[in-house]
Amino acid sequence: GAGSSGGSSPDEGVVEDVSLIDEKAVEQLAEGLISHYLPDLQRSKSALKELTQNQEVLLETIEQEISKFKECNSIPEIDALFSEAKHYHNKLVNIRNEMMLLHEKSSKLKVSGIIF
């Protein structure tokens, strides 16, 4: 009988080799980009963690101040409390601004194609 060979033609092998080379190049490029951006991302991550912790501490402090406010009666104490509240509010605003900046930076990194 007449039978055809079951093996792949030489052309197919060449195409496979080319795709392997491309894959390796892409892999190297990705590694390069990651090693370039990773330190920034790790710094941003630890900065965000620190900001979050600071925010929690500030919120706890504000809650304590509020409970003091409920107990206190004298006007000078209330005045001191309001100026303290304003001070903590400013701190929170600064933290929020910093977080927004970090978010912006990480969004730009994501646009560059590095998504974790």
Side-chain angles (χ1 to χ4, degrees):
S4 62
S5 87
S8 60
S9 69
D11 288 344
E12 282 175 32
V14 172
V15 173
E16 275 173 30
D17 287 349
V18 170
S19 72
L20 280 175
I21 291 164
D22 285 353
E23 232 171 82
K24 195 157 181 79
V26 167
E27 202 176 296
Q28 285 174 340
L29 185 66
E31 277 174 22
L33 284 168
I34 287 167
S35 66
H36 179 74
Y37 284 114
L38 199 59
D40 278 344
L41 283 169
Q42 284 170 335
R43 272 196 294 275
S44 295
K45 189 183 173 183
S46 63
L48 276 171
K49 194 178 174 185
E50 199 180 310
L51 285 171
T52 307
Q53 287 169 344
N54 287 346
Q55 209 166 16
E56 282 170 12
V57 170
L58 282 170
L59 286 169
E60 277 176 32
T61 311
I62 287 170
E63 278 171 25
Q64 286 169 10
E65 294 302 318
I66 288 168
S67 65
K68 277 190 212 168
F69 175 71
K70 286 173 184 170
E71 294 163 11
C72 87
N73 297 313
S74 69
I75 297 297
E77 276 182 78
I78 291 171
D79 280 347
L81 216 80
F82 274 114
S83 62
E84 258 187 82
K86 196 175 179 184
H87 170 72
Y88 286 119
H89 176 262
N90 289 338
K91 275 193 167 185
L92 280 168
V93 168
N94 289 338
I95 286 174
R96 192 194 66 180
N97 292 341
E98 275 187 67
M99 286 181 96
M100 281 168 79
L101 270 172
L102 283 167
H103 175 72
E104 235 177 69
K105 280 185 184 176
S106 65
S107 295
K108 283 178 188 169
L109 289 175
K110 280 181 189 171
V111 170
S112 304
I114 290 117
I115 299 160
F116 291 95

